[in-house]
Amino acid sequence: MKNMALSWRLLLGFLLVAVLPMAGLAGFYLYNFEQTLRNTVLESVSTVADKKAEQINTFVNERLADVRVHAQHDGVRDALQVMTPLFQQGGLAAVGLVDARFKSDLSALVGTGLYHDMLLIDVYGNVIFSVKREAELGTNLKNGPYRDTPLALAFAQAMTSLHTDLTPFAAYAPSANQVSAFLVTPVLADGRTIGALVLQVELATLMPVVQDRTGLGDTGETVLAQRQGQSVLYTAALDHVASAAYRYQVALGSSAQPMQQALMGNHGGGITHDYVGTEVAAAWRYLPALRWGMVVKVDSAEAFAPARQAAQLTWLAFAVFVLLSGGTAWLLGRRIVHTEGVLAVQEARYRAMQGSMTDGVALLLADASGQDFVFVDFNAAAQRIAGLTHEQVLGQPITRVLPGLQASGILAALLATQQTGQTHTLALVNYQDERLNLWLEADTVRLPGGEMMLVVQDVGERRQAQARIEHLARHDTLTGLFNRYTLETRLDQALLAARRNSEMLAVLFIDLDRFKTINDSMGHHVGDQLLVKVARRLLASVRGSDIVARQGGDEFVVVLCSLDGMADIATVAHKIHESLVAPYQLSSGVLHTSPSIGIAVFPADGQTVDSLLKNADTAMYAAKDQGRNNTQYFTAAMTAKAGERLKLESDLRRAIAEEQFELFYQPQVRTVDHTLCGVEALIRWHHPERGLIGPALFIGLAEETGLILPIGRWVLSQACRQRALWRQQGIDTLRIAVNLSAYQLRDPELVQQVSQAMQANQLREGDLELEVTESVAMSDPQAAIVQLQALRALGLTLAIDDFGTGYSSLAYLKRLPIQVLKLDREFVRDIETDPNDAAISAATLALAHSLGMQVVAEGVETQAQRDFLAQHQCDVLQGYLFGKPESAGTLGPRLPSWVRPDSTGRSSRSGES
């Protein structure tokens, strides 16, 4: 009995002395470990959420800045001012007369790849314009079927805002599987609102940021949603709900607490439950630019798996320890307990607990100096992070093993924790030595026994993900160059340095010549390849301290810093020009392009970011005016010329809207008897300030700006209408000749437009002649043949104008479906005195007749010219000798007596001579 009592007393004593302290130590260690892990996980999730929110808000804010800038563009204001009255008078049919012109002009504003469409809405709420020409054109947002959509709400508020594109406007979406958004801002003219500009953004650009799970493990997820009344609509794909984006909607009160908090505008984080009730570590943010909520989360089961594994192993080891300790204590009632066994069990428990941790843990003791620490232990994770073994570190001073601790601040944190007993957390430190370059998060803890514990986590992967997100926010996604936002920031900094150091600085605005033709003819993928090659060549042409950015589309900006004189600028500009004109080897073959470069110099040409960019842009347009493929330096005269050009362009747009044009008609007579067989329609502009203006002043500008398309349609329509009026007056057959520009000949809608005009005015075969200049037809003869054959099939006559000036290929000329050659006035003018001109004219007449064509000679002003042409059997004459261009009202009364009647009493056909 005494032995039994002794055994129980020894057992109880052993439990009190050994087991209970061990239980307390295990609990304390697990508590601290779990708290440290909890804080680390929440900080990691919070950091990822902050970076994603910053990226998304930056992207949206840049797009909002775009729409504000575009709303101030003259083309947008002019489009609204032109189209609004047209729509009120005749609906979309009337707007269609000018729609193609503005489509060509305004589509360049959305050509960055970030926008799907541009819409214009007049002050009455009518959708009057779409670059993509969507089916909803003509819809009224106030009264139509879309009056309850977010777009209608944004228009009613008359303020810049962003709304996601939902089902009522699904037709505008880039595709059924993508999400887009509308950015709406009012357009002002003379201080009053004249309508609204809408840019449709492809939000698919943000999806890589949303779907990136870097730093979130296998169960990490980013959830986006927006509030609709008392409901929550999820706006991105969900891991646990199929096809959730813009389809999964729950009541606000039933939604997960993190999303409720985010949609209330709150930021926070913690351990909570997600949308399917799973416990998660989450951080929630409100995205003001989108008015969405965002929750970044990772399942607690994954995030805290190390702590739970450690707890299981610790308590399992502790249970084994208790059983062994109890058995040992029971045996001590009969014999002495061997303490070595107890220590072995404790060591096994400790090793199991440390080995299960994913964070690096080092146990340290202060040395005699009190300024350094010696390694007592070092777990497996710490060995992996530091690349060291137990044998290399145990018993060694930490400053000798890891010499970078002092510079990183970790040694100072250890010393502070030793002195105060307070735990120190270093959120993000960079540790460097001869072997390592690590980004770490570190905690320093003083244990009850006086030991120091250092816990570190390698966050290099998270840091790299943050760097990628920051790079996307500041660089062009296609070329990798700085984007427009970063350009303005860097240029502002460069100007500060130039002022401080009294140095010159140059801004080069570079535009690729005829890039749109490459895009249209070969596809955007080829255009993108070309832009990437151009970006690389620009970077190779300048110093590392200079700035190279993509302004948008095919426009680039180069900023040359720290210049000594103008010679430096000229040298670099020449180098850039030579680099960009060299051939480009692309997947589709070899391509050629050239740059038009405009240069503005600080401080002479501007002292702010805006003024330098604007003046460099003006100089670039001057280079375009000089024939492209050259470099121009900004001058004050360019500003005046640009202002005059803008004024003329604005007046021309107003002239199109108000139909300030009139057609004059110049007679064409038969050579044999001077009877009238046709007239050529020539446009005149009744300018309200300058009076009557001939085409030489404005046709070039119209072609450059794309306004030639609506002007050409107007001329065609008016000429056909006039032909119908003359038929009503008894003039049965009289051919009207109308000139086609190069832009019209390339327009895929030309054949349909001509067909509609002829049918609307009941024109017959031979009533209408279309004239194409020789250079236009020969620039792309294959395409010209197809287009001209389609026009010829409509029953009209086709003529080559200015023949003899374009170096035609006779092989192609023979293939063109041409019936009439017009001999250029350059040859007719000196036909009496220049033997060469006389020979060319005679040869042309013989050639045309051999090919079965008629010849019309232009610019006939003297009897001698008439006699020469008659001698060589020229069919038709046109010039001041027979009449100047006149209005229909002046020429019309003379027509009945001038047109030769045939044997039936009707006017003879214009093709007879």
Side-chain angles (χ1 to χ4, degrees):
M1 292 296 295
K2 288 183 178 179
N3 289 338
M4 182 66 69
L6 177 61
S7 296
W8 280 109
R9 286 196 298 271
L10 288 173
L11 177 60
L12 180 60
F14 188 82
L15 290 174
L16 291 174
V17 173
V19 177
L20 292 181
M22 283 295 176
L25 179 61
F28 175 80
Y29 180 82
L30 289 175
Y31 173 77
N32 280 296
F33 174 69
E34 186 169 352
Q35 287 298 111
T36 301
L37 182 61
R38 172 192 174 100
N39 293 337
T40 300
V41 169
L42 289 178
E43 288 173 4
S44 176
V45 173
S46 179
T47 299
V48 173
D50 287 338
K51 289 301 179 181
K52 290 194 174 190
E54 178 186 2
Q55 168 67 5
I56 292 172
N57 285 326
T58 298
F59 175 87
V60 176
N61 287 331
E62 287 181 355
R63 304 290 76 76
L64 289 172
D66 280 350
V67 74
R68 295 188 187 101
V69 170
H70 292 344
Q72 301 173 15
H73 192 273
D74 289 343
V76 173
R77 283 198 295 267
D78 292 340
L80 276 169
Q81 290 174 329
V82 169
M83 290 184 177
T84 297
L86 289 177
F87 185 89
Q88 296 301 310
Q89 295 169 10
L92 287 177
V95 173
L97 295 175
V98 297
D99 176 72
R101 151 64 196 101
F102 289 109
K103 178 184 177 184
S104 173
D105 191 27
L106 300 182
S107 61
L109 298 181
V110 296
T112 62
L114 296 172
Y115 303 103
H116 171 64
D117 199 0
M118 170 187 284
L119 310 177
L120 294 180
I121 306 174
D122 66 17
V123 291
Y124 309 103
N126 299 303
V127 182
I128 62 174
F129 175 80
S130 162
V131 168
K132 297 291 185 180
R133 297 184 178 176
E134 303 282 8
E136 285 78 3
L137 274 171
T139 299
N140 187 277
L141 297 182
K142 295 181 178 179
N143 304 313
Y146 305 122
R147 60 181 180 272
D148 297 325
T149 63
L151 179 59
L153 175 62
F155 174 77
Q157 293 174 341
M159 58 182 290
T160 300
S161 57
L162 180 136
H163 291 268
T164 53
D165 180 22
L166 302 182
T167 302
F169 262 82
Y172 282 130
S175 73
N177 298 321
Q178 294 184 3
V179 180
S180 60
F182 290 115
L183 299 102
V184 186
T185 191
V187 179
L188 304 179
D190 300 326
R192 61 185 181 86
T193 300
I194 61 172
L197 168 68
V198 182
L199 286 183
Q200 188 179 7
V201 183
E202 296 186 10
L203 290 184
T205 309
L206 292 175
M207 289 304 105
V209 176
V210 176
Q211 296 167 356
D212 187 0
R213 298 177 186 261
T214 302
L216 296 178
D218 295 332
T219 60
E221 185 180 8
T222 301
V223 181
L224 297 176
Q226 67 179 30
R227 182 172 177 176
Q228 288 192 333
Q230 293 301 311
S231 298
V232 174
L233 179 65
Y234 289 85
T235 56
L238 299 176
D239 287 352
H240 305 295
V241 178
S243 303
Y246 286 94
R247 297 181 181 178
Y248 183 53
Q249 188 168 356
V250 299
L252 180 62
S254 302
S255 62
Q257 283 298 319
M259 185 57 73
Q260 289 188 38
Q261 291 295 319
L263 291 174
M264 291 170 61
N266 298 327
H267 291 195
I271 308 302
T272 181
H273 291 84
D274 68 1
Y275 57 89
V276 290
T278 302
E279 184 182 81
V280 294
W284 49 88
R285 301 289 185 267
Y286 177 65
L287 305 177
L290 284 169
R291 301 175 186 170
W292 288 1
M294 180 181 72
V295 177
V296 177
K297 65 184 183 68
V298 61
D299 289 0
S300 296
E302 179 184 8
F304 301 126
R308 289 165 182 162
Q309 291 173 0
Q312 292 172 358
L313 290 173
T314 299
W315 292 119
L316 177 60
F318 180 73
V320 173
F321 170 75
V322 170
L323 292 175
L324 292 177
S325 298
T328 302
W330 180 262
L331 293 175
L332 280 178
R334 299 169 182 174
R335 63 182 62 186
I336 299 173
V337 178
H338 297 284
T339 57
E340 290 81 359
V342 176
L343 294 176
V345 173
Q346 291 177 337
E347 179 71 11
R349 174 199 61 79
Y350 173 72
R351 291 297 174 194
M353 183 170 62
Q354 274 207 334
S356 67
M357 298 181 65
T358 58
D359 290 350
V361 179
L363 293 182
L364 310 165
L365 277 176
D367 67 359
S369 69
Q371 298 301 311
D372 204 348
F373 300 88
V374 177
F375 279 103
V376 175
D377 206 347
F378 202 58
N379 76 343
Q383 295 178 53
R384 183 180 66 256
I385 293 172
L388 298 169
T389 65
H390 272 98
E391 291 74 14
Q392 292 174 297
V393 301
L394 293 184
Q396 298 295 321
I398 191 171
T399 55
R400 182 184 303 169
V401 176
L402 300 171
L405 284 181
Q406 188 166 2
S408 68
I410 294 177
L411 181 60
L414 284 168
L415 292 171
T417 298
Q418 182 190 34
Q419 294 173 1
T420 64
Q422 296 180 352
T423 298
H424 282 74
T425 298
L426 304 178
L428 191 63
V429 296
N430 184 223
Y431 174 88
Q432 296 183 33
D433 60 25
E434 294 181 355
R435 300 181 306 109
L436 304 173
N437 183 8
L438 302 173
W439 286 95
L440 303 171
E441 290 186 353
D443 290 288
T444 57
V445 183
R446 189 175 73 181
L447 300 178
E451 294 178 329
M452 298 294 297
M453 182 170 66
L454 174 63
V455 181
V456 296
Q457 180 183 18
D458 185 354
V459 294
E461 183 180 354
R462 186 201 310 168
R463 177 77 176 178
Q464 292 174 2
Q466 294 171 356
R468 287 197 297 271
I469 293 174
E470 291 172 357
H471 183 274
L472 286 173
R474 292 172 171 79
H475 292 77
D476 174 52
T477 55
L478 175 64
T479 63
L481 299 179
F482 290 134
N483 58 21
R484 183 170 57 192
Y485 170 78
T486 308
L487 166 66
E488 294 179 354
T489 303
R490 292 295 183 93
L491 178 54
D492 190 48
Q493 295 170 352
L495 286 174
L496 291 174
R499 291 191 187 94
R500 183 171 58 251
N501 301 323
S502 299
E503 295 175 334
M504 293 178 62
L505 177 148
V507 175
L508 282 66
F509 207 106
I510 303 167
D511 182 88
L512 300 182
D513 298 331
R514 300 179 179 86
F515 177 76
K516 186 177 185 299
T517 302
I518 294 175
N519 251 356
D520 292 344
S521 61
M522 307 193 72
H524 288 276
H525 68 288
V526 175
D528 288 348
Q529 292 177 26
L530 177 61
L531 292 175
V532 171
K533 295 266 189 183
V534 169
R536 292 175 182 172
R537 294 187 183 185
L538 288 175
L539 288 172
S541 301
V542 300
R543 301 164 298 176
S545 59
D546 296 327
I547 303 168
V548 182
R550 183 184 177 203
Q551 183 77 351
D554 61 328
E555 294 180 338
F556 297 85
V557 173
V558 174
V559 180
L560 306 179
C561 306
S562 302
L563 301 173
D564 295 328
M566 296 296 293
D568 294 343
I569 304 173
T571 300
V572 178
H574 178 73
K575 182 178 180 181
I576 290 175
H577 183 273
E578 292 301 306
S579 174
L580 297 188
V581 297
Y584 295 84
Q585 182 65 53
L586 304 179
S587 61
S588 59
V590 178
L591 287 182
H592 295 80
T593 186
S594 59
S596 294
I597 305 175
I599 302 177
V601 181
F602 169 86
D605 300 333
Q607 301 192 19
T608 65
V609 171
D610 290 341
S611 62
L612 285 170
L613 288 174
K614 177 182 177 183
N615 292 339
D617 189 24
T618 299
M620 184 272 292
Y621 275 106
K624 292 280 190 185
D625 291 340
Q626 294 296 322
R628 302 182 175 89
N629 192 21
N630 70 96
T631 300
Q632 296 292 321
Y633 290 82
F634 174 78
T635 64
M638 289 180 182
T639 302
K641 185 177 179 180
E644 181 181 351
R645 180 186 179 281
L646 289 174
K647 177 66 167 58
L648 184 61
E649 181 181 348
S650 178
D651 290 348
L652 191 56
R653 295 180 189 279
R654 185 173 295 106
I656 294 172
E658 298 176 1
E659 295 189 0
Q660 296 175 0
F661 303 111
E662 182 180 2
L663 289 186
F664 278 39
Y665 301 90
Q666 186 171 29
Q668 297 175 336
V669 301
R670 297 177 183 82
T671 307
V672 294
D673 58 8
H674 298 178
T675 55
L676 190 69
C677 60
V679 293
E680 180 178 3
L682 301 168
I683 191 171
R684 298 293 185 267
W685 178 7
H686 289 283
H687 193 283
E689 299 171 1
R690 302 185 185 187
L692 192 65
I693 296 178
L697 182 63
F698 65 88
I699 289 298
L701 176 62
E703 290 182 335
E704 180 182 339
T705 58
L707 294 174
I708 193 65
L709 293 177
I711 291 176
R713 285 194 296 271
W714 181 88
V715 170
L716 179 66
S717 175
Q718 288 295 111
C720 291
R721 185 178 296 112
Q722 185 61 52
R723 182 64 195 88
L725 290 175
W726 279 337
R727 173 167 283 117
Q728 293 174 9
Q729 297 170 12
I731 302 170
D732 188 40
T733 53
L734 181 70
R735 184 168 59 201
I736 291 186
V738 176
N739 290 282
L740 286 182
S741 75
Y743 291 88
Q744 287 178 280
L745 189 62
R746 289 195 293 264
D747 188 355
E749 299 178 1
L750 174 64
V751 176
Q752 180 182 0
Q753 293 168 5
V754 174
S755 175
Q756 291 175 349
M758 294 180 67
Q759 291 177 11
N761 295 282
Q762 299 180 346
L763 264 60
R764 305 171 186 171
E765 183 173 358
D767 283 346
L768 179 64
E769 175 183 294
L770 295 182
E771 297 182 0
V772 181
T773 62
E774 180 185 9
S775 58
V776 169
M778 291 299 107
S779 64
D780 188 357
Q782 292 286 8
I785 289 172
V786 174
Q787 188 82 312
L788 293 175
Q789 286 175 339
L791 291 171
R792 181 71 187 93
L794 298 177
L796 50 79
T797 305
L798 294 175
I800 285 285
D801 196 8
D802 299 336
F803 182 77
T805 64
Y807 306 100
S808 298
S809 166
L810 293 179
Y812 277 117
L813 181 62
K814 186 170 63 174
R815 294 172 57 189
L816 293 174
I818 299 298
Q819 298 133 289
V820 177
L821 291 185
K822 297 197 72 176
L823 186 62
D824 186 69
R825 68 183 67 248
E826 289 293 321
F827 302 112
V828 174
R829 182 180 57 196
D830 298 324
I831 207 171
E832 309 166 64
T833 58
D834 190 330
N836 291 327
D837 285 348
I840 291 174
S841 298
T844 299
L845 286 162
L847 171 65
H849 290 149
S850 69
L851 294 175
M853 301 179 188
Q854 286 189 331
V855 178
V856 177
E858 295 183 296
V860 181
E861 298 181 356
T862 68
Q863 187 64 34
Q865 292 170 348
R866 184 266 171 203
D867 293 341
F868 177 91
L869 293 167
Q871 180 183 354
H872 290 82
Q873 287 81 47
C874 182
D875 302 283
V876 179
L877 305 176
Q878 177 182 344
Y880 281 9
L881 182 63
F882 308 102
K884 296 182 178 181
E886 298 178 285
S887 66
T890 304
L891 179 63
R894 304 204 309 273
L895 292 181
S897 62
W898 201 349
V899 177
R900 182 183 68 189
D902 61 15
S903 59
T904 64
R906 298 176 302 168
S907 306
S908 65
R909 298 187 64 83
S910 61
E912 299 173 357
S913 60

